Amino acid sequence: MNIKWWLIVLNFHVIHSVGCEDPTGQSYDRNRDAIDQAVSMDLASLPVDRGQSEDFEQMTELGDVSTVDIDLSSRDMDILDSRLMDEPIDMQVPRDDTDLYAQLRIRQGVVSGSHSILEDGVLLDAGASVRWAIDDAQIPLGALLSISLKGQVWRVEDGRVQISSNLDQDFYQIWGNGLFEIAPVRHRYEDWSGNTYGVEALPPILSWPISETLSYIEITSINGGLTIGDLYLHGTHAEELAIQNESPDPVIADQNVEYISCLPAEDCDDGAGLNALIAQVTEQAAGRSIDIRLPSEQYFAQSPVLINRSDLSITGTHAPSPPIWKWSPYPNSGQTWPFIFRGAGSVGPALQLVSGIEYGQRNIRLNQVLDEQPTWLRLSADDFGEVPNICINGRDVERRNRHQRQLFKVLEMSSDDGQTLITLDRPIFVSIPEDATPTMTPVSLLTANQISRMNIQADCLASQSDRFAEANCQNQEVIDDGAVLSLYTDGLKMTALSAIGFGKFTYEIRDSLHNVVENSQMHHPSAYGSGGQGYGVHLIGASRTVISYLEVNHARHGVVIDFGSSDSQVLNGTFSDMNQALLDVHGEASRDTLIRNNHLEQSSIGIIIGGGGRTVHCNDGPRHHVQLNRITECGIAVLVSDETEKTYVQSNHLYNNGTHVGSAYGAHDIQVERNQLGSTTIKAISVGFEGTRDMRVRRNLFQEQCSPDEALLQLNGAERPEFVDNMWCPQ
């Protein structure tokens, strides 16, 4: 990404001190505890800038949100005021308010509206709802009731719901992610008026005073795309109890097989040996799941291990430390990986749609009759839309909407009148016109694969230098290699891996669905240059990916979200010491990203959205949420660029940066809200270049700036941001 103008204007210098203290006096908790509740700050006496009410209404829009009016006239309900009572109920609560009062199974609910029944829950389309009847004795009178539910929230917009009962009705936010965990129900940002800021500033949880018998609860999806399971009713102070999720089960396979290293044999190639074992057990255990265990302390591989069957896991079992898998490929191997999980990919011709695709559509009509229901389909389309002005002289001159390559599972199929109607497992949250020729191609993906608990080392001791320069490796082949490739897989898990010395993309997920990278590490690649080198995780056309508890230190990028990837989530990670952006949404029309609860430090940029640079790449798609991150010692903490739109920077703690939030080259519709903004070397907010517009800076705490003029750097025709209800320079 070309950030030359930022570096010149900001006179940026990266602070290289290690172990910097949080200026609030609170050290960063590297144990990665979940943030459970908001911590109040009494800042009512601080100076406030007040905006007009009509401006406030405009600012409260969140993404492509539309309100669904629920007709309650035909139901016997008495809808009360949803505000909390000013006085406590004069009644003894029979149970402690940390109790879990009831768990209501999803199968006990009654579903209305368009939906699909999944293995773990119910997928609700916009306006669909689930209603549970409540037993009279389940919730004690006088309780303060909160709600959590087990669900899957790929987009923040998916988690927006209306919750109704005979006691209350209001709009809320399910605070979940893509891991199908138990998540609390909170108020929405736009409905929250309290004075808290930064990573402690979560919207308050739903809290209903139970003044009379609760008889039912109904949850209605506003935007669709929400999968919900069981409902948990608990006391308002029982959040830890309610959101306690079970640890994932260890791999339990039908057959466990050990592979012992061929070391110390001089001609040892554990890659070839493991391939032979996989071929043998695949033939012997057709249709059965297999876990291959690696008990040796060290392995030496010159050939890549190719996994092209489902239900196969590879687990390092050496104790106490994970086994080392040393990678030293044969000469002239070309770009490859020590471990390749690869499905078949396309298994049929591209299928033509009857028409274009409407935003949020999940039922797709094909212009032919299919003999059998495909398991997965891959969406493709021609590029469409205008070429953004800022990118019109770029290398590829790309249109605004490009790289449509989303993967779906097919839930239902029916045929009539020479056409086929298919129902997908996820709405398509992009409108595609008919003249862009959208198609659906049947694909075959691997399923139920996992690779875990290994230390994968490229043959390159020189990579352990702290310079950002290509290493002189013992085996130069590793400069072009990554560690693990996932291609055409569904549900692959990379767990408890560490890797060092690979020059390309250490963990690469390409054209795959539902992949998870968790509790893993990467550091010190063997190359850092342009053209794609030195990445921790690289997503290429990936659909619904979760990267959780990843640590990347000393690399080019920690995570790169690229080439039309959608529903990507980076959660609870630690990223530091890089020569380019720590997290990079790479300017190739990726959309619907969640970056939450990470610690980032020491780089030119912390998080960039629209990050490829207009001479090579251009805009990203919409709806990127940056929440609850601590970012320090960066030239720019969060930068939105290249005509990217709909970005939400909320409840972050940004301190000791050159500038905290920047917008450039036509980026627009940016909400900066509830952040704690500490010291800067230049300005807290920076905007640059004509066409950059629609930034709303609302309800933030500016710790060192006392007015918008002190906080803002405005350059080269960029529109001035709107400042509303911020707190300025507390003493």
Side-chain angles (χ1 to χ4, degrees):
M1 183 267 174
N2 179 8
I3 60 167
K4 183 177 179 181
W5 78 272
W6 276 105
L7 301 185
I8 293 173
V9 173
L10 296 177
N11 190 25
F12 160 66
H13 63 279
V14 176
I15 304 169
H16 287 286
S17 60
V18 178
C20 179
E21 284 290 316
D22 183 325
T24 64
Q26 299 174 346
S27 61
Y28 171 63
D29 184 3
R30 293 185 182 272
N31 291 325
R32 303 179 288 195
D33 292 335
I35 300 174
D36 294 325
Q37 61 185 20
V39 179
S40 298
M41 297 174 61
D42 185 10
L43 298 171
S45 61
L46 299 181
V48 178
D49 60 291
R50 301 291 183 187
Q52 300 299 317
S53 59
E54 59 267 27
D55 296 331
F56 176 82
E57 290 300 322
Q58 181 182 3
M59 289 189 303
T60 59
E61 296 179 3
L62 177 60
D64 297 302
V65 174
S66 59
T67 300
V68 177
D69 294 324
I70 307 300
D71 182 9
L72 302 173
S73 59
S74 62
R75 301 179 183 176
D76 185 17
M77 296 185 189
D78 183 15
I79 303 302
L80 304 179
D81 191 339
S82 63
R83 293 172 296 181
L84 296 180
M85 300 175 64
D86 293 331
E87 298 294 332
I89 299 172
D90 186 18
M91 182 182 298
Q92 183 177 0
V93 179
R95 303 187 195 180
D96 188 89
D97 66 355
T98 61
D99 271 357
L100 175 63
Y101 299 127
Q103 177 180 351
L104 306 179
R105 302 293 184 184
I106 184 62
R107 63 177 178 268
Q108 297 173 275
V110 177
V111 186
S112 302
S114 177
H115 67 280
S116 291
I117 305 297
L118 306 180
E119 182 178 349
D120 296 324
V122 177
L123 171 59
L124 300 178
D125 293 319
S129 63
V130 182
R131 179 179 174 125
W132 288 268
I134 309 296
D135 186 278
D136 291 351
Q138 285 180 308
I139 313 300
L141 293 178
L144 279 177
L145 179 69
S146 293
I147 298 174
S148 296
L149 58 82
K150 192 164 189 177
Q152 191 169 52
V153 181
W154 284 111
R155 309 182 311 153
V156 169
E157 292 79 6
D158 295 352
R160 296 174 72 85
V161 295
Q162 184 179 52
I163 301 182
S164 306
S165 74
N166 59 306
L167 302 181
D168 196 3
Q169 174 186 308
D170 212 336
F171 294 96
Y172 295 95
Q173 178 74 47
I174 299 173
W175 198 265
N177 56 42
L179 293 175
F180 205 81
E181 296 179 335
I182 301 170
V185 175
R186 296 186 176 275
H187 288 272
R188 303 180 303 174
Y189 271 97
E190 56 264 45
D191 299 332
W192 172 30
S193 59
N195 292 329
T196 51
Y197 309 90
V199 294
E200 288 85 13
L202 285 167
I205 63 172
L206 174 155
S207 182
W208 286 350
I210 304 302
S211 57
E212 59 183 86
T213 300
L214 180 67
S215 60
Y216 77 92
I217 288 178
E218 184 170 38
I219 297 179
T220 302
S221 173
I222 303 303
N223 297 309
L226 171 66
T227 300
I228 62 175
D230 295 351
L231 187 72
Y232 298 81
L233 307 179
H234 54 86
T236 293
H237 298 290
E239 216 176 342
E240 290 187 10
L241 170 69
I243 66 172
Q244 185 67 42
N245 287 283
E246 297 178 359
S247 300
D249 294 330
V251 174
I252 301 176
D254 296 328
Q255 183 172 349
N256 299 318
V257 181
E258 284 193 342
Y259 175 76
I260 308 296
S261 175
C262 54
L263 289 172
E266 291 186 4
D267 60 348
C268 179
D269 180 1
D270 282 314
L274 188 49
N275 279 328
L277 178 62
I278 290 173
Q280 177 185 342
V281 297
T282 296
E283 183 177 350
Q284 295 173 350
R288 302 172 65 191
S289 60
I290 302 168
D291 183 26
I292 296 179
R293 301 182 174 185
L294 306 179
S296 301
E297 181 178 6
Q298 183 162 328
Y299 294 81
F300 183 82
Q302 301 179 80
S303 302
V305 177
L306 176 61
I307 300 94
N308 55 14
R309 63 153 286 171
S310 297
D311 294 298
L312 187 143
S313 299
I314 301 174
T315 307
T317 56
H318 177 267
S321 59
I324 295 172
W325 189 275
K326 188 169 183 179
W327 173 244
S328 187
Y330 291 108
N332 302 314
S333 296
Q335 183 183 14
T336 189
W337 302 258
F339 295 94
I340 300 173
F341 292 82
R342 181 167 186 163
S346 299
V347 291
L351 306 172
Q352 301 296 320
L353 276 62
V354 171
S355 61
I357 295 173
E358 296 181 2
Y359 177 91
Q361 187 174 347
R362 194 162 66 87
N363 296 306
I364 306 296
R365 188 168 289 276
L366 304 174
N367 204 15
Q368 57 258 76
V369 174
L370 302 183
D371 294 331
E372 58 182 358
Q373 178 175 315
T375 305
W376 297 275
L377 290 172
R378 182 175 184 256
L379 170 66
S380 300
D382 298 335
D383 295 353
F384 62 95
E386 78 285 3
V387 177
N389 289 332
I390 201 70
C391 306
I392 204 162
N393 295 318
R395 181 191 67 184
D396 301 323
V397 194
E398 296 178 312
R399 293 188 174 190
R400 182 176 299 278
N401 296 281
R402 56 199 185 279
H403 304 309
Q404 300 298 331
R405 52 199 296 182
Q406 196 172 354
L407 288 164
F408 303 90
K409 195 165 188 177
V410 178
L411 301 180
E412 298 178 33
M413 184 185 86
S414 61
S415 299
D416 58 62
D417 297 329
Q419 298 177 347
T420 300
L421 180 66
I422 57 171
T423 300
L424 306 176
D425 71 331
R426 178 115 180 99
I428 301 171
F429 287 113
V430 61
S431 298
I432 303 178
E434 186 174 357
D435 59 11
T437 320
T439 61
M440 291 283 184
T441 302
V443 294
S444 177
L445 309 180
L446 297 186
T447 61
N449 296 108
Q450 179 169 310
I451 180 169
S452 60
R453 201 176 176 274
M454 271 192 281
N455 184 352
I456 309 172
Q457 298 182 0
D459 190 5
C460 188
L461 287 174
S463 70
Q464 298 182 37
S465 166
D466 284 337
R467 297 185 307 120
F468 292 104
E470 184 172 309
N472 184 17
C473 299
Q474 290 91 329
N475 187 334
Q476 285 294 109
E477 294 290 332
V478 304
I479 298 291
D480 291 327
D481 293 349
V484 182
L485 171 65
S486 171
L487 176 60
Y488 290 119
T489 71
D490 182 356
L492 172 67
K493 286 188 176 181
M494 305 182 199
T495 302
L497 302 178
S498 62
I500 184 173
F502 293 91
K504 292 294 283 186
F505 319 133
T506 297
Y507 309 116
E508 181 175 346
I509 299 173
R510 190 194 314 166
D511 291 309
S512 291
L513 175 66
H514 290 138
N515 277 208
V516 175
V517 181
E518 59 185 2
N519 297 307
S520 294
Q521 298 177 330
M522 173 270 187
H523 62 103
H524 290 85
S526 50
Y528 302 83
S530 61
Q533 291 182 316
Y535 299 179
V537 176
H538 194 190
L539 306 184
I540 301 175
S543 301
R544 288 175 265 176
T545 308
V546 177
I547 301 165
S548 180
Y549 293 110
L550 174 70
E551 294 185 19
V552 180
N553 175 55
H554 197 81
R556 180 179 175 87
H557 297 293
V559 177
V560 176
I561 299 170
D562 212 351
F563 291 108
S565 293
S566 58
D567 299 323
S568 308
Q569 300 186 348
V570 183
L571 313 173
N572 310 308
T574 303
F575 305 92
S576 63
D577 188 24
M578 301 184 198
N579 64 330
Q580 293 290 325
L582 298 163
L583 301 178
D584 182 357
V585 185
H586 202 53
E588 285 292 358
S590 297
R591 57 179 172 82
D592 295 308
T593 305
L594 175 63
I595 299 173
R596 178 185 285 169
N597 199 30
N598 301 281
H599 184 81
L600 304 99
E601 63 182 17
Q602 291 184 298
S603 186
S604 56
I605 301 174
I607 299 169
I608 188 167
I609 300 168
R614 65 224 51 85
T615 59
V616 179
H617 307 284
C618 196
N619 64 292
D620 273 299
R623 297 178 301 274
H624 305 275
H625 294 264
V626 179
Q627 298 177 333
L628 297 172
N629 303 285
R630 294 178 186 265
I631 308 177
T632 186
E633 301 177 32
C634 293
I636 309 168
V638 181
L639 174 60
V640 188
S641 188
D642 293 11
E643 299 206 17
T644 299
E645 63 176 344
K646 292 186 174 64
T647 300
Y648 306 90
V649 183
Q650 297 169 314
S651 297
N652 301 282
H653 188 181
L654 313 178
Y655 57 99
N656 293 349
N657 299 297
T659 194
H660 294 319
V661 181
S663 178
Y665 295 113
H668 56 282
D669 197 1
I670 301 166
Q671 181 94 343
V672 182
E673 183 175 25
R674 294 284 179 180
N675 300 286
Q676 184 175 348
L677 306 176
S679 60
T680 66
T681 57
I682 306 297
K683 295 285 187 177
I685 306 293
S686 299
V687 294
F689 291 92
E690 188 173 350
T692 302
R693 62 196 186 278
D694 298 335
M695 177 186 282
R696 299 173 294 279
V697 183
R698 173 179 178 262
R699 289 181 174 168
N700 300 277
L701 170 62
F702 289 83
Q703 291 184 298
E704 295 194 352
Q705 294 83 25
C706 296
S707 70
D709 288 342
E710 287 187 25
L712 176 65
L713 178 64
Q714 182 181 3
L715 299 167
N716 296 346
E719 180 182 277
R720 182 182 176 87
E722 184 177 27
F723 290 84
V724 178
D725 286 347
N726 297 288
M727 298 293 181
W728 300 99
C729 58
Q731 300 300 319

